[in-house]
Structure formats: structure tokens, C-alpha cells
Amino acid sequence: MAESHTRFMKAALEEARRGWGRTHPNPMVGAVMVESGKLVSRGYHVSAGEPHAEVQALRNLGRKPHGEAILYVTLEPCCTRGRTGSCCNAIISSGIRRVVVGAIDPNPKHRGRGIEILARAGLRVESGVLAEECEDLNIIFNHNQIHGRPLLAGKTATTLDGKVATRCGASQWITGKIAREDVMRWRRLFPGIAVGGGTVGADDPNLTSRLPGETTCPLRFIFDRNFKTLSGMRNYRVFNDTYKARTILVAPAGREEVGLYRKYGIQVWEMPGDDTFWSAFSDTCMEKGVTGVFFEGGPGLMSDLLAHGKLDYLFSYRAPKFLADEEAPGFVGGWVVEKMEEALQLTRVRQAALGRDQLLRGFVEYPETSEKKDDRSGPMG
């Protein structure tokens, strides 16, 4: 039975991934229904406001489930009514007598309540099947529910000796095609993507997700403390392309240069220039419904996030190359570490081989014993 549980939960996960990047602020959820060992119906959560996965699977069956039917769902069924009805009520009303759950609802107010409601109604409920995989699917949603703020994630691409570019600043390309395609997939997941003004000036990036048959554009945050992008604003793609309305300049509050960007039709978020900067940015994201931001900026932007203890998650791509050049820039984190136990670490680590390259990703854990450096350059690139 354990083997069949795993097989059908994998099928439910495949369904859930069909909503990749489309369900914010809701989680991705998939469900499959099984009768007599055969998968007879599927469903997934398409987008916020649409029916949840469990309801979709019930509807797609087109009839009442048989008495031995089992519903597999990647996330504990919801027990409250939002824009759609309670999934627990829909499951109970359907006549299903058995439910297998992957991950438990991360919301502390709801955690375990859906399972309890189903059990009280006489259903047999099992949980924890492929729980880690089901939790990993919703790193953004889970973080929002537990911490009440957006997931701020960083991406680095380095050589074996930790370099992010040559001494002349050339960084295209450290990693190969497969790894770069993987980055596009994560861009598709996050509601926002961020770089510093220096990166815009050096690379003139699109900052879109370009997957086979689909190009999408998250909100594009340009952190520009010194308005490096002002002189080239009429030429840079992020300020002039089809997705111009999705570009947001993050700049110091009260500066007259801000008006020039707004006059050109660019959104501006004005932020304080002190240590409240990152908290203010996170608060504004939550107010605007931006539940996660994928930082692809250079070492300066990422280092400031780390130095303030605000980088929540890291995607570390590493290529089998080394420059062996002490003048080449590396990833700088803004911390003073004298002992190995003081090192920052990743937890809930996931690894993947991407052609010749590797991806290591996980949540950033900040040790209490390390000290932050005082010579930070600021958050806006």
C-alpha cells in the first residue's frame, strides 16, 4: 500500500505543478482520485479564485465516487470558506470515505483542522505521504503563512572557486544552457524578480521568463540608490518593452530624480535609506500582494540582503569551472566569520544536476554567533 500511495501522490504532484507560478497568493495543489487501484480523475488549482484541486477532481469524475474511492491531495484540504467553498465540506458531501494527504496546512490557525474535520465525519485520513516534496512545491506560500511576509530569495551562479565574473566583469556565461533554462522556470514561479541598477546598465536584461511556447513577465524590481539607470532610461529594455508597466524602480524617498521616472511612466516605490529599508520593502510587497521576490542582482544587492539578515532562500548554481584569479570578483556576504560553526547555512536543502552544472538550494539559517560587517554599501545597487 505504501508503494501505491507514493505512486498516486506523485501523480497528484504532477497535477499541482500545472499551476506553476499561476496560483499566487494561493498554493499549488493537485489531487487525484483512485478506485480499485486505478486513477479515475485528476484536478489541480488553476488560479486564485478558481475551484481548488479536490473540487476539480470531483467535478472531472462526472459521477458519484464509488465507496472504495481514495482521494490523494498534495496539501491538507482547506476547512474555511474563502472565495471558494470549504474543500472539507465538498469531500464529505461527495461520499468519499478515504483521503491521503501530502503536506499539512502551514497556516498555524488552520494546521491539522482539515484532517480533524474529515476524521470527525468518519473518513479515514492518512497524512505525510511525500510530505517533503509536497512542502517544497510551495516554498513561497508556506513562508507567507508562517512568517507573514514575502519570501526573498537570491540566485547566484559561481565557478568552483566562488567567482561571479572575470576581473573584467564578464559573467556570460558561467553556467550552461540547462542551468539557465532552470532559472527561467524559477522566474516563472516568483511574482517578482529583482536586480540592481548596475546590472541593468551592464547587461540590459529582459528579466522575463522565457520557456518553450511561453514568455511571461513577473514584476521587475530595479534597485537603484544612485539612479544609475536614469541616463539610459530611454534605451534599457525593462523601461521600454511590452512589459514596461511591470517595471518598478526601488529608490530613496524624497529625491527629485524619482519624478523623472514617473514622468516616463515608470512605477516607483520610495523606500527609507536607513536600516528599516528591507522591512519597508517587505511590508510594501505584502500590501501589494507580492508574495515572493527572486533576486538576480549582482553581489552588492545580495550581500546587503544577507548583511541585514533578510535573505530567506538561496538558489546556488555552480559550474565546473574555476578562474584561479584573485582579482576576479566573488560572492560577498557582509558577515565576519571566524569559526566554522559561525557560518551561515542552508536548511531543507534540495540538490539537482543540470547538465554539467549543479544547483544547491535551501532556506538560509543565520547563526547567532556571527557578526555583521559595518561597511555595507546599501541595498540599491
Side-chain angles (χ1 to χ4, degrees), residues 61-269:
L61 182 62
R63 56 172 171 77
K64 293 288 286 184
H66 294 163
E68 80 283 0
I70 305 174
L71 178 68
Y72 291 82
V73 59
T74 57
L75 183 65
E76 178 181 4
C78 66
C79 57
T80 58
R81 182 178 182 86
R83 281 187 279 182
T84 59
S86 161
C87 288
C88 285
N89 290 343
I91 293 169
I92 293 168
S93 300
S94 74
I96 289 175
R97 307 309 301 164
R98 189 175 180 186
V99 178
V100 178
V101 174
I104 305 301
D105 192 330
N107 188 328
K109 296 180 180 178
H110 301 155
R111 187 174 180 86
R113 284 186 59 197
I115 289 176
E116 181 182 347
I117 289 170
L118 294 175
R120 282 207 310 261
L123 279 71
R124 180 181 172 186
V125 185
E126 300 167 64
S127 63
V129 177
L130 296 184
E132 289 187 9
E133 286 82 352
C134 293
E135 290 172 3
D136 182 65
L137 183 69
N138 287 304
I139 56 174
I140 297 174
F141 174 78
N142 295 344
H143 186 83
N144 296 160
Q145 294 298 305
I146 295 169
H147 300 287
R149 54 184 173 81
L151 180 75
L152 303 185
K155 184 221 83 176
T156 63
T158 64
T159 60
L160 292 175
D161 49 348
K163 304 300 183 179
V164 298
T166 67
R167 64 167 61 197
C168 299
S171 61
Q172 297 183 354
W173 296 104
I174 291 176
T175 54
K177 181 180 178 181
I178 297 174
R180 298 199 301 274
E181 288 174 349
D182 190 66
V183 172
M184 292 294 171
R185 191 174 71 91
W186 291 108
R187 283 186 182 182
R188 181 66 180 84
L189 176 66
F190 277 79
I193 184 173
V195 297
T199 297
V200 173
D203 299 336
D204 189 21
N206 286 295
L207 301 183
T208 56
S209 171
R210 299 176 298 279
L211 295 170
E214 177 190 63
T215 296
T216 58
C217 185
L219 289 177
R220 302 181 292 192
F221 293 102
I222 312 302
F223 287 75
D224 196 354
R225 177 187 57 187
N226 296 314
F227 302 98
K228 296 176 181 177
T229 57
L230 184 57
S231 61
M233 180 170 57
R234 297 181 181 276
N235 299 314
Y236 297 135
R237 283 181 281 199
V238 291
F239 296 128
N240 296 280
D241 63 11
T242 304
Y243 307 106
K244 172 182 176 179
R246 299 189 64 76
T247 298
I248 299 172
L249 182 79
V250 184
R255 293 282 296 272
E256 63 180 24
E257 292 94 337
V258 164
L260 298 175
Y261 286 89
R262 286 185 170 138
K263 187 177 180 179
Y264 195 64
I266 302 301
Q267 297 183 65
V268 182
W269 287 8

Side-chain angles (χ1 to χ4, degrees), residues 136 139-155 190 278-279 281-283 285-286 290-295 301-316 331 335 344-349 360-366:
D136 182 65
I139 56 174
I140 297 174
F141 174 78
N142 295 344
H143 186 83
N144 296 160
Q145 294 298 305
I146 295 169
H147 300 287
R149 54 184 173 81
L151 180 75
L152 303 185
K155 184 221 83 176
F190 277 79
W278 286 114
S279 295
F281 177 73
S282 290
D283 291 345
C285 282
M286 291 306 286
V290 183
T291 53
V293 181
F294 190 56
F295 284 79
L301 185 60
M302 203 84 66
S303 296
D304 198 78
L305 267 170
L306 273 174
H308 285 85
K310 298 298 185 181
L311 186 69
D312 301 308
Y313 201 90
L314 181 66
F315 294 82
S316 177
F331 180 69
W335 287 76
L344 285 75
Q345 300 186 62
L346 297 187
T347 63
R348 284 170 278 174
V349 174
L360 190 75
R361 62 181 176 90
F363 287 88
V364 180
E365 183 178 82
Y366 295 87

Side-chain angles (χ1 to χ4, degrees), residues 26-47:
N26 290 355
M28 290 174 280
V29 184
V32 298
M33 197 175 303
V34 175
E35 293 178 346
S36 301
K38 296 182 179 179
L39 198 157
V40 295
S41 185
R42 303 170 180 263
Y44 74 101
H45 184 44
V46 177
S47 63

